[in-house]
Amino acid sequence: MIRPAPRTSATAVLLPVVLCLALGLWGMRRGGSLWRDEAVTYDMARRSLPDLVGTLAEADAVHGLYYLFMHGLFQVSGDLDPLLVLRLPSVLAAAAASGFVALLGHRLAGPRAGLLAGIVFALLPPVQRYAQEGRSYALVCALVAWASYLLLGAVRSGSRRAWAGYGAVLLTACLLHEFAVLAALAHLVALPRRAGITVTLAVGAGLAPLAVLSMGQSEQVGWIGGPGAGAVLGFAGVTLLGIGCAVLVKGPLPRLALPLLILPALLLLLLSLIKPLYVDRYVLYGHLGTALLVGAALDRLLRKRPVIRLTAAGTAVAAVLPITLDLRTPQSRTDNVTAIAQAIGQTDADAIVFMPSRRRVWTLTDPGALHGMRDLALKDSPATSHTLYGTEVPASEIRVRLLATERVVAVADPAGQPLDRTTQEMTKRRVLDRYFVECGTRQLQGARITVHARPGGC
């Protein structure tokens, strides 16, 4: 049974919102760094509208609504700091999500449980991470949280208007990232209703055109490997934590929180047995369930031995602090596009090759880093070709261009990373190995920059 909506304390909602907002704003520039996915967002958002729409027809349609939103934001932002414009929507979305978590906890388990759940959500390391990234995941999380709250109202009132509002918000979340549809399945398991089935089918119908388009672009997720031991153990650990908290919590909260925590990630892991698709950020909203369960469990424990439990809670916060500090450094992400672009600009070469070609993303935010170097393999730029990273000439032409060059800088992944087996990439490696010598290599976070010259040219 879903209890009638209790009168909500403003403090119980505002405190988690303010905390999450403060954590999001704190160090959000990360020393001026950004990583490759954020560079894609920046590049796509700053393309002309025709170029952006043309690109989405060919690539990355799954993020199309988000790119269109960011395009509009950059159009009206004027001379504001681009990193602020890029990340502020995620900061605000995470803060809004923490408020909805507090409302959900209040509705399902009482005011203190809601307050604690909102605080826990703001402190979760994955939430802190994606609250400061120029990607759609925090926005999706906020919309799923809002939809979850609207679901409670729709179940209680049964009105068509309430169900329509729930469906509209959930569909928006799915259009921002289609794996949000897994939250709809979690909602159905948690609170099965005939109206809920109807709304879920309507959301699926609204999502279908995007799903069909993105399936035709599935090569873009070819980089995703099968779930590793770390991913599986991480999921198992969070699941056990949630189940342990659910044992302590009485009332209706676990009925909603456990499916949100478990089902989206579990379904994506199972789908990955057919085609690898599991990436934890795709189901970030599952941590809505984590926060609700932990917050409600803390509420129950605090009633018994408050001093001991508060000490334990303080210890947990202290344990999270090193992660919190690390997340605000450039080293906390896969790579640092800003540093890589600067390092490229400091090389003394006539030309450049990207190995593989998708690493051209490292110069999208600062084309001036090439300082006149010729991109030997490039055929058409990303915007012109309506692609994310541009198109390249055939392997035979790459060979001719390399052999006509005296000095070239190769920008590649760190040693030990899998090598692409396309003819273009193999040609780049063969020609550089056979006809050039290495003059020097600079290792950066997530990248390797090597200057090659013809024999005697170093």
Side-chain angles (χ1 to χ4, degrees), residues 61-62 174-175 178 181 204-218:
V62 67
C174 293
L175 293 175
E178 60 193 56
V181 75
L207 180 62
L210 174 61
V212 171
L213 180 58
S214 62
M215 284 177 64
Q217 302 171 357
S218 60

Side-chain angles (χ1 to χ4, degrees), residues 344-368:
I344 291 172
Q346 293 167 2
T347 59
D348 57 343
D350 308 315
I352 188 169
V353 287
F354 295 94
M355 302 166 58
S357 62
R358 58 183 175 276
R359 296 300 171 248
R360 194 170 281 108
V361 67
W362 287 329
T363 59
L364 293 182
T365 60
D366 183 17

Side-chain angles (χ1 to χ4, degrees), residues 11 16 38 64 86 90 94 100 106-107 235 284 292-293 306 311 316-317 341 377 439 455:
T11 302
E38 290 183 297
L86 190 67
S90 293
F100 282 117
H106 192 169
R107 180 77 174 272
F235 167 73
L284 177 68
L292 286 168
L293 288 161
T311 301
V317 171
C439 298

Side-chain angles (χ1 to χ4, degrees), residues 360-382:
R360 194 170 281 108
V361 67
W362 287 329
T363 59
L364 293 182
T365 60
D366 183 17
L370 299 183
H371 59 79
M373 286 189 292
R374 184 185 179 195
D375 188 341
L376 288 180
L378 184 65
K379 179 181 179 183
D380 293 308
S381 70

Side-chain angles (χ1 to χ4, degrees), residues 224-237:
I224 302 176
V232 174
L233 289 174
F235 167 73

Side-chain angles (χ1 to χ4, degrees), residues 12-100:
V13 176
L14 288 178
L15 183 58
V17 170
V18 170
L19 174 62
C20 196
L21 185 62
L23 288 171
L25 294 174
W26 168 36
M28 68 180 293
R29 296 192 80 259
R30 297 201 304 272
S33 67
L34 71 165
W35 77 292
R36 64 186 67 161
D37 281 12
E38 290 183 297
V40 172
T41 298
Y42 181 81
D43 178 66
M44 293 286 278
R46 291 175 64 88
R47 294 187 188 187
S48 70
L49 192 57
D51 282 341
L52 175 55
V53 173
T55 302
L56 294 177
E58 303 294 332
D60 229 14
V62 67
H63 295 296
L65 181 60
Y66 176 67
Y67 291 147
L68 288 167
F69 166 71
M70 293 302 296
H71 172 83
L73 197 58
F74 273 104
Q75 288 294 304
V76 302
S77 64
D79 296 327
L80 287 177
D81 180 353
L83 281 179
L84 177 67
V85 178
L86 190 67
R87 293 176 181 152
L88 188 58
S90 293
V91 173
L92 297 176
S98 69
F100 282 117

Side-chain angles (χ1 to χ4, degrees), residues 24-25 98 154 183 202 227 230 236 238 274 330 353 387 392 404 420 429 431 436 440 453:
L25 294 174
S98 69
V238 174
I274 303 170
V353 287
T387 62
E392 295 199 338
D420 285 27
R429 294 194 294 269
V431 173
F436 289 79

